[in-house]
Amino acid sequence: MTIIIRKAMETDAPALSRICLLTADAGSTAEALHDYGELPGLVYAVPYVKLPTTWGYVMVDDLRDNEVVGYIVGSTDTRAFETYAAEHWWPKLAERYLPSLAKKPADERYMNLFRNMYTAPDACIDFSPAHMHINILPEYQKQGWGRKMLASAVEFLKGQSLRGVWLGLDPRNNGAKTFYERVGFTHVDGAPDNNMGIKF
Ligand SMILES: CC(C)(COP(=O)(O)OP(=O)(O)OC[C@H]1O[C@@H](n2cnc3c(N)ncnc32)[C@H](O)[C@@H]1OP(=O)(O)O)[C@@H](O)C(=O)NCCC(=O)NCCS
């Protein structure tokens, strides 16, 4: 097996969406929670290969015909990302996904979110303009790939003159919290408990 880490491309969107769904319930699969399995990816993965200010890396497995099996994505300028998405991304989704269509609570939550998207806490923006998400398929977890993909992201962000990156964590996701602590993330001062960041 040879795993290669490369820059994410817009054509990776379907793979990112699938990986997002398979890890969206606090690190476990959210397939059973959704009739509309694309919803988590439309928030946490796909915009990052389509909208301005975004960056991303994926890991691909040559034994699976170079299938994308994990990703790290983010924005170098979270406020600009939020502004652009508020104008060009969430409204289209709000139009396409009417909450009255939802039969499952998780679908309804996302459909309402498209209508009322949250923004990052100021304390996070003060920490760094850059935020990120990382998700790896279960069979590739705990083999050092998360650490390696984070290193690729940090190199890229340093090249953009950024000195830190932060994220929002599902408080139920203890495994991810341990991962972030192991690789050097700490709580972002002044932000809600579930925001962690790393300086470099
Ligand atoms: C969280 C995640 C990105 C970590 O990536 P990974 O490739 O599994 O992590 P690595 O193998 O690089 O591990 C790095 C360190 O974190 C530790 N670690 C990773 N996952 C862990 C877990 N679930 N529980 C405890 N420790 C963990 C490893 O033991 C390792 O420690 P060490 O190097 O000091 O011995 C990956 O497991 C994942 O995608 N999980 C599902 C999706 C998710 O929860 N994403 C985060 C959403 S905020």
Side-chain angles (χ1 to χ4, degrees):
M1 169 172 79
T2 312
I3 301 281
I4 290 169
I5 296 175
R6 63 156 170 83
K7 283 218 167 200
M9 303 183 287
E10 190 167 353
T11 48
D12 295 323
L16 267 53
S17 177
R18 179 172 163 272
I19 295 167
C20 188
L21 178 66
L22 292 175
T23 54
D25 186 21
S28 302
T29 181
E31 287 166 293
L33 302 180
H34 294 280
D35 291 325
Y36 299 85
E38 69 275 27
L39 296 183
L42 287 170
V43 175
Y44 297 113
V46 176
Y48 296 92
V49 287
K50 290 195 184 275
L51 305 191
T53 81
T54 57
W55 54 269
Y57 290 86
V58 294
M59 44 186 281
V60 300
D61 183 350
D62 68 340
L63 285 187
R64 283 165 74 160
D65 205 14
N66 289 325
E67 183 186 327
V68 175
V69 294
Y71 64 81
I72 184 166
V73 295
S75 165
T76 51
D77 185 343
T78 300
R79 289 288 184 241
F81 174 80
E82 288 171 348
T83 302
Y84 188 92
E87 208 172 318
H88 300 284
W89 187 254
W90 310 125
K92 284 185 203 146
L93 296 173
E95 209 173 293
R96 193 183 319 156
Y97 295 101
L98 302 175
S100 57
L101 295 172
K103 294 194 186 71
K104 293 186 170 170
D107 285 331
E108 194 177 6
R109 261 200 315 279
Y110 276 96
M111 291 175 183
N112 284 322
L113 191 58
F114 295 151
R115 298 173 151 64
N116 190 19
M117 184 50 65
Y118 58 84
T119 55
D122 286 334
C124 289
I125 305 296
D126 293 345
F127 182 87
S128 171
H131 78 272
M132 59 162 267
H133 302 282
I134 182 168
N135 295 71
I136 298 171
L137 287 179
E139 55 270 42
Y140 296 87
Q141 292 172 10
K142 292 199 184 169
Q143 296 159 52
W145 293 110
R147 199 185 271 278
K148 288 200 179 78
M149 284 209 294
L150 178 65
S152 300
V154 166
E155 271 319 293
F156 168 76
L157 293 170
K158 278 184 178 170
Q160 304 292 305
S161 304
L162 287 156
R163 290 287 163 263
V165 66
W166 58 269
L167 53 88
L169 181 66
D170 183 329
R172 297 173 302 153
N173 196 343
N174 294 321
K177 185 163 191 232
T178 306
F179 165 74
Y180 292 126
E181 286 168 351
R182 299 292 294 184
V183 298
F185 283 67
T186 54
H187 172 242
V188 175
D189 265 354
D193 283 353
N194 66 321
N195 289 112
M196 298 181 80
I198 187 169
K199 292 279 192 192
F200 36 78

